[in-house]
Amino acid sequence: MTDESANLDIPAPDGEVNVINTDYDVGQDNVQGGIGPLKFDVHNPVFGVSALTIIGFVLLTLIFQDQASAAFNWLFNFVTTTFDWFFLLAGNIFVLFCLILIFTPLGRVRLGGADAVPDFTYLSWFAMLFAAGMGIGLMFFGVLEPVYHMQVSNPLGLQGPFGENGELNEALIREARDHGLAATIYHWALHPWSIYAVVALALALFTYNKQLPLSIRSCFYPLLGDRVWGWPGHAIDIIAVFATLFGLATSLGLGAQQASAGLEYVYGIPQTINTQVIIIMGVTLIALISVIRGVDGGVRVLSNINMFFAFLLVLFVFVAGPSLVILRDFWGGLSTYVTDIVPLSNPFGRTDDSYREGWTSFYWAWWISWSPFVGMFIARVSRGRSVREFITCVILIPSLVSVFWMAVFGGTAIEQVVSHPDTSGVKDNVIDGYNDAIALFSMLGELPFTSIASTLAIILVLVFFITSSDSGSLVIDTITAGGKTEAPTAQRIFWCLTEGIVAIALLIGGGLTALQAMVNATGIFFTFVLLFLCYAIYKGLRSEPRSS
């Protein structure tokens, strides 16, 4: 490697490592130009192919809205019903791969070198893993999913407590409650965080130990050699860009729908596509300001605000809601998850199509699409950790946070549904009807200080929205700048705007189904990338010295 590696902010390895020697110079394929604030430094052809393809996609979606909507519906149904087994099988492989690394000598390899020490204390590191585990998804699905699985989706043939005529069977409540929470936890615990751990470990290993550029293609050097700097590597990075962009667009679309629903619920502002578009435009504008301020002055400040508001909201619901019931649901949901994880992970011979195809298949594609985004964040704060320590904490800490979040929000909502079903707003919007974006506010509507709590929830959704857009812009820019983390700000501005435009185009061209369809489609291709990535990690770890 040349001195150009200084542009990567990659620390030199501390102690013995097996550095990969390559003639490739970081940025050697980049195109540079422009003046002043319009300077650019982009990888050729990754940036050009990615940008032009996405611009073409947006134009076609907006010009042919009716045809696009029909196409998205077909694509979503085709992928979820045809490849559900593939997503489930791949998710299981990622979990097993992580467990193998924990319990074998490969777990003693240290990221950054045999003598490397962590850059952050455990408390700071755990806080950042906690931050990575939070997002718009928890806000959107925290109430909706446990209630829906308890009664409607019938995971593993579960019988809900409400009969066909709406009568409540008291004898079925406890079992349905625990299994509904367990089916939700399954989507937010070991499997998604194993996916993130695989990508994060690969990026950390090949960046800190092998001293290669911070890019997905670098992780495939053990398999492709110097060909990673050619078209095979270009293709990997382009797929990563598409997966990350559409994964982010889905989150932004969900956030816009939920914020719009909250504004209607609290302030009477109509929940329309126009409102959602205005929200995306406004939030994208604020994200641009954060982009211009940089990582320290932008996303880091917003992340701290995120954590404060999230803690405030979950504390309020825990105290104002049925606290003892929530604690019981935390344990009941978690213990049932442990017993249900094997049958829920089975990709074959099941009859719960609504749950497996409509939920699990989409989630696995979504997490896989998000993995470059979350993985790069985790990799950048995990230098100095052993592989065993890294995987154990990355999987367990955010998983437990997600379990508690679901117990607080989902447990409170379920208690409202079964305690007074005739007047429950959650039951009206999740079981009797399906108004997904309003579920959270229906639950808050039955607690004290409804307007204040709902306004806080809207703010939290919007701040999550902003941090996702800002951080996502950084990740995509790093990939399309050939691994450089200090590329010109104008490029991050471009990707920030592009994320907002794609989210708007998908909402107009088909709503939530369009968002899910594109996540599923890109998720298929990136799943293959991650499966090969596991083998690349194995080969990379075998050549590394192991700490005692």
Side-chain angles (χ1 to χ4, degrees):
M1 299 291 291
T2 68
D3 290 340
E4 186 69 38
S5 62
N7 289 331
L8 295 171
D9 293 331
I10 298 174
D14 189 358
E16 185 182 356
V17 294
N18 188 12
V19 174
I20 292 177
N21 294 312
T22 174
D23 294 332
Y24 181 82
D25 292 332
V26 178
Q28 72 176 30
D29 294 327
N30 284 20
V31 176
Q32 301 174 343
I35 57 174
L38 298 180
K39 285 184 179 179
F40 58 87
D41 184 358
V42 298
H43 186 278
N44 177 39
V46 173
F47 179 89
V49 172
S50 301
L52 290 175
T53 302
I54 291 166
I55 291 171
F57 169 82
V58 169
L59 290 175
L60 289 173
T61 300
L62 294 177
I63 293 171
F64 303 103
Q65 292 181 25
D66 292 339
Q67 295 89 334
S69 179
F72 290 137
N73 275 283
W74 174 85
L75 182 62
F76 176 73
N77 292 326
F78 173 75
V79 173
T80 55
T81 58
T82 306
F83 294 99
D84 57 302
W85 65 271
F86 175 66
F87 284 125
L88 265 71
L89 195 60
N92 296 339
I93 291 172
F94 299 137
V95 172
L96 292 174
F97 178 71
C98 288
L99 293 176
I100 289 171
L101 293 183
I102 290 174
F103 293 107
T104 63
L106 294 176
R108 300 205 309 269
V109 173
R110 189 164 295 276
L111 301 175
D115 300 325
V117 294
D119 295 328
F120 303 96
T121 64
Y122 270 118
L123 185 60
S124 296
W125 189 46
F126 287 167
M128 284 184 279
L129 294 180
F130 174 79
M134 303 296 291
I136 291 172
L138 285 177
M139 293 292 291
F140 195 92
F141 293 106
V143 169
L144 170 70
E145 197 175 349
V147 176
Y148 192 84
H149 295 330
M150 179 190 72
Q151 175 64 30
V152 183
S153 65
N154 306 121
L156 302 178
L158 169 71
Q159 182 180 352
F162 292 96
E164 293 182 4
N165 297 320
E167 70 279 6
L168 180 61
N169 187 336
E170 300 279 351
L172 295 176
I173 292 177
R174 184 74 269 159
E175 181 183 13
R177 186 181 197 130
D178 287 344
H179 285 281
L181 283 165
T184 302
I185 293 169
Y186 175 66
H187 292 150
W188 293 87
L190 293 183
H191 281 76
W193 286 100
S194 294
I195 293 168
Y196 294 154
V198 166
V199 178
L201 175 60
L203 288 168
L205 174 67
F206 288 96
T207 299
Y208 297 135
N209 295 57
K210 309 299 185 182
Q211 293 289 285
L212 294 178
L214 183 63
S215 191
I216 301 295
R217 72 168 72 202
S218 299
C219 308
F220 287 85
Y221 196 92
L223 305 183
L224 299 175
D226 283 333
R227 286 177 294 173
V228 296
W229 316 125
W231 269 106
H234 301 340
I236 291 169
D237 277 351
I238 290 169
I239 293 172
V241 170
F242 291 156
T244 305
L245 185 70
F246 288 115
L248 280 167
T250 298
S251 296
L252 302 185
L254 292 176
Q257 289 183 336
Q258 190 170 39
S260 176
L263 290 173
E264 181 179 55
Y265 187 85
V266 181
Y267 301 107
I269 299 173
Q271 182 187 355
T272 64
I273 286 290
N274 289 338
T275 304
Q276 294 168 21
V277 169
I278 291 171
I279 290 172
I280 293 176
M281 292 172 64
V283 167
T284 301
L285 179 61
I286 299 173
L288 284 177
I289 297 173
S290 178
V291 165
I292 294 170
R293 286 174 58 87
V295 174
D296 290 332
V299 69
R300 185 169 298 177
V301 172
L302 290 171
S303 295
N304 291 335
I305 295 173
N306 259 358
M307 291 303 99
F308 175 74
F309 282 156
F311 175 77
L312 204 60
L313 185 61
V314 78
L315 179 64
F316 166 76
V317 176
F318 179 77
V319 173
S323 305
L324 294 179
V325 172
I326 290 171
L327 293 176
R328 195 263 170 232
D329 281 342
F330 176 81
W331 173 250
L334 184 59
S335 58
T336 306
Y337 165 67
V338 172
T339 60
D340 282 357
I341 187 171
V342 172
L344 287 173
S345 302
N346 176 26
F348 305 111
R350 290 167 57 179
T351 57
D352 53 351
D353 293 350
S354 173
Y355 175 80
R356 189 184 70 259
E357 296 175 355
W359 289 86
T360 306
S361 180
F362 161 68
Y363 266 125
W364 274 207
W366 192 17
W367 301 145
I368 288 167
S369 295
W370 262 78
S371 59
F373 169 53
V374 179
M376 194 169 290
F377 171 80
I378 295 174
R380 294 181 70 169
V381 300
S382 299
R383 183 179 181 274
R385 306 289 175 186
S386 71
V387 170
R388 179 174 293 122
E389 176 186 24
F390 171 85
I391 293 178
T392 301
C393 292
V394 166
I395 290 177
L396 288 184
I397 301 301
S399 291
L400 288 174
V401 170
S402 298
V403 172
F404 184 70
W405 184 281
M406 293 300 177
V408 171
F409 286 81
T412 299
I414 290 174
E415 184 66 16
Q416 292 173 355
V417 168
V418 298
S419 296
H420 43 90
D422 294 336
T423 60
S424 171
V426 176
K427 184 173 182 288
D428 290 341
N429 288 294
V430 178
I431 296 176
D432 297 338
Y434 189 74
N435 189 353
D436 48 11
I438 204 70
L440 170 64
F441 301 102
S442 297
M443 182 272 288
L444 294 176
E446 298 185 36
L447 298 179
F449 309 109
T450 296
S451 296
I452 296 174
S454 297
T455 300
L456 177 61
I458 295 169
I459 294 172
L460 185 55
V461 169
L462 294 176
V463 177
F464 274 135
F465 198 150
I466 296 166
T467 52
S468 295
S469 180
D470 187 355
S471 304
S473 303
L474 173 62
V475 170
I476 296 176
D477 181 45
T478 300
I479 297 172
T480 56
K484 289 187 175 182
T485 59
E486 299 297 328
T489 302
Q491 295 169 205
R492 286 179 63 191
I493 291 175
F494 170 81
W495 288 115
C496 184
L497 289 172
T498 301
E499 290 160 14
I501 292 170
V502 169
I504 290 172
L506 288 172
L507 280 176
I508 293 175
L512 181 59
T513 300
L515 297 166
Q516 293 174 322
M518 292 312 301
V519 162
N520 284 354
T522 54
I524 290 174
F525 294 103
F526 205 62
T527 300
F528 284 106
V529 172
L530 295 196
L531 289 172
F532 283 109
L533 191 62
C534 291
Y535 183 57
I537 292 172
Y538 171 72
K539 291 196 68 173
L541 288 174
R542 284 186 61 191
S543 63
E544 286 293 308
R546 296 156 197 175
S547 57
S548 57

